[in-house]
Amino acid sequence: MFDKVITYFESIDPVMGALVATTFTWLVTAAGAALVFLFKGMKRVVLDGMLGFTGGVMVAASFWSLLAPAIAMSKGEGFEKVLPAAAGFAMGAAFLFALDRLLPHLHINFKENKAEGVQTGWHRTTLLVLAITLHNIPEGLAVGVLFGGVAAGIPEASIAGAVILAVGIGIQNFPEGIAVAMPLRRQGMSRKKSFFYGQLSAIVEPMAGVLGAFAVSFFTPVLPYALSFAAGAMIFVVVEEVIPETQQDKYTDIATLGFIGGFIIMMSLDVALG
C-alpha cells in the first residue's frame, strides 16, 4: 500500500504533490471535527491525551523530518555545517513568536480572559480557530518544503520522507479537529457550525504547503533554512501552546504519556519508511 502511494506521488509534479499531501492533512482535521455529528462532548482526559500526542508527533517530525535533513544537506564542517539549521530554526521560532504576539487567539483549555495577541472584541469561536490555525501554518510549510526539495533535485529530500511527514501530521491533525469542534459544540453551537469551524482551522495547510514547495523549488539554496524554519516554528507551537494546554487540569500524566506515544510513532514512521 505504501509503495503504491509513493509511486503515485512520484508520477505527479512535486508542487502538485505538496497540494495533495496537505489537502490530505486538512481532510483528516475535518474527519476529527466530524465527530461532533456523533458526540456532543469529549472527556477532558481524552482531549489532554490527544493534545499530548499531537505535541509528540510535532517534536519528532521537527528533528527526524526537518532538522536532520537540513544539517545533512548543509556544506562545511563543525559550526559551519550546523549554521543554516540554527539560523533557520531561530527564524522559524521568531516568526511564530511575532504571530503569537500579534494575532488574537485563545488556547483550547483557557478561559476567555486569557486570550493572547492584540486585544480585540472578536468572539471566542474566532479566537479558538485562530489558535489552531497557528499550529497548522508550520505543519503545511514543513510538508511543502520537503516536496520543493524533491522538485529541486536535492538528494536528501525524498518523496517517501515528504509523504511520511504528511501522514504523521495528518494523524495528529485528527485530535486537533476534535479539539476545536467539541468545545464549540459544548457551548451550544450547532453541529454543522462546530464542524465548519473545526475543519476551517486547517485550511491554511494546503496554502502554506504550496507556498513552501514553490519557494524551495525556485530557490534551492534556501532549503536547509526552510526545513529548519518549519522545525523552529513547530517547536515554538509545542512549547508555547500545545504543552500549556495540557497542563490546565489533573490529567498531566496522561498528556505526557500521549506525548511519548506520539513521538515514538512519528520517529518509527520516519526511520522505518522514510
Side-chain angles (χ1 to χ4, degrees):
M1 178 64 180
F2 182 71
D3 290 340
K4 290 181 179 179
V5 172
I6 297 301
T7 300
Y8 166 75
F9 278 100
E10 289 175 343
S11 69
I12 62 176
D13 179 78
V15 176
M16 178 58 68
L19 177 60
V20 172
T22 49
T23 299
F24 161 76
T25 63
W26 168 34
L27 292 176
V28 177
T29 307
L35 289 184
V36 294
F37 293 110
L38 301 176
F39 309 101
K40 186 171 183 178
M42 180 167 290
K43 292 183 178 180
R44 179 63 180 269
V45 61
V46 177
L47 182 59
D48 282 350
M50 286 183 170
L51 288 173
F53 178 88
T54 293
V57 170
M58 293 175 73
V59 170
S62 295
F63 177 75
W64 297 102
S65 298
L66 301 172
L67 280 176
I71 294 171
M73 68 182 63
S74 299
K75 298 178 180 179
E77 299 292 337
F79 285 110
E80 182 183 359
K81 188 173 182 63
V82 79
L83 182 60
F89 191 89
M91 288 187 289
F95 174 71
L96 259 292
F97 173 77
L99 283 183
D100 187 71
R101 296 297 297 270
L102 296 173
L103 186 66
H105 62 284
L106 177 66
H107 296 226
I108 296 166
N109 290 326
F110 284 68
K111 295 181 180 179
E112 201 156 355
N113 61 0
K114 297 291 185 180
E116 297 182 1
V118 175
Q119 294 298 311
T120 177
W122 291 354
H123 193 272
R124 178 184 176 89
T125 301
T126 304
L127 297 176
L128 280 170
V129 173
L130 288 175
I132 298 296
T133 300
L134 279 176
H135 292 197
N136 292 326
I137 291 174
E139 294 169 7
L141 184 64
V143 175
V145 295
L146 275 179
F147 275 102
V150 173
I154 304 297
E156 291 83 0
S158 68
I159 289 290
V163 170
I164 288 300
L165 179 60
V167 170
I169 288 176
I171 290 171
Q172 61 93 35
N173 272 4
F174 187 81
E176 283 190 0
I178 297 171
V180 176
M182 288 297 182
L184 298 180
R185 178 64 182 146
R186 284 200 304 269
Q187 293 170 26
M189 186 174 288
S190 71
R191 286 185 170 90
K192 288 184 179 179
K193 283 189 176 181
S194 298
F195 167 75
F196 174 76
Y197 286 114
Q199 62 80 34
L200 185 65
S201 64
I203 200 171
V204 70
E205 289 194 6
M207 302 175 191
V210 171
L211 177 63
F214 263 121
V216 171
S217 61
F218 283 106
F219 303 100
T220 306
V222 308
L223 182 57
Y225 295 92
L227 289 171
S228 50
F229 179 97
M234 288 175 72
I235 293 297
F236 181 91
V237 166
V238 172
V239 176
E240 204 279 335
E241 297 191 18
V242 177
I243 292 177
E245 287 168 9
T246 67
Q247 305 300 302
Q248 302 301 307
D249 211 314
K250 58 184 178 181
Y251 304 113
T252 56
D253 287 347
I254 298 298
T256 301
L257 292 175
F259 182 98
I260 298 300
F263 187 97
I264 291 172
I265 288 174
M266 187 63 209
M267 177 183 67
S268 301
L269 285 173
D270 207 307
V271 174
L273 301 176

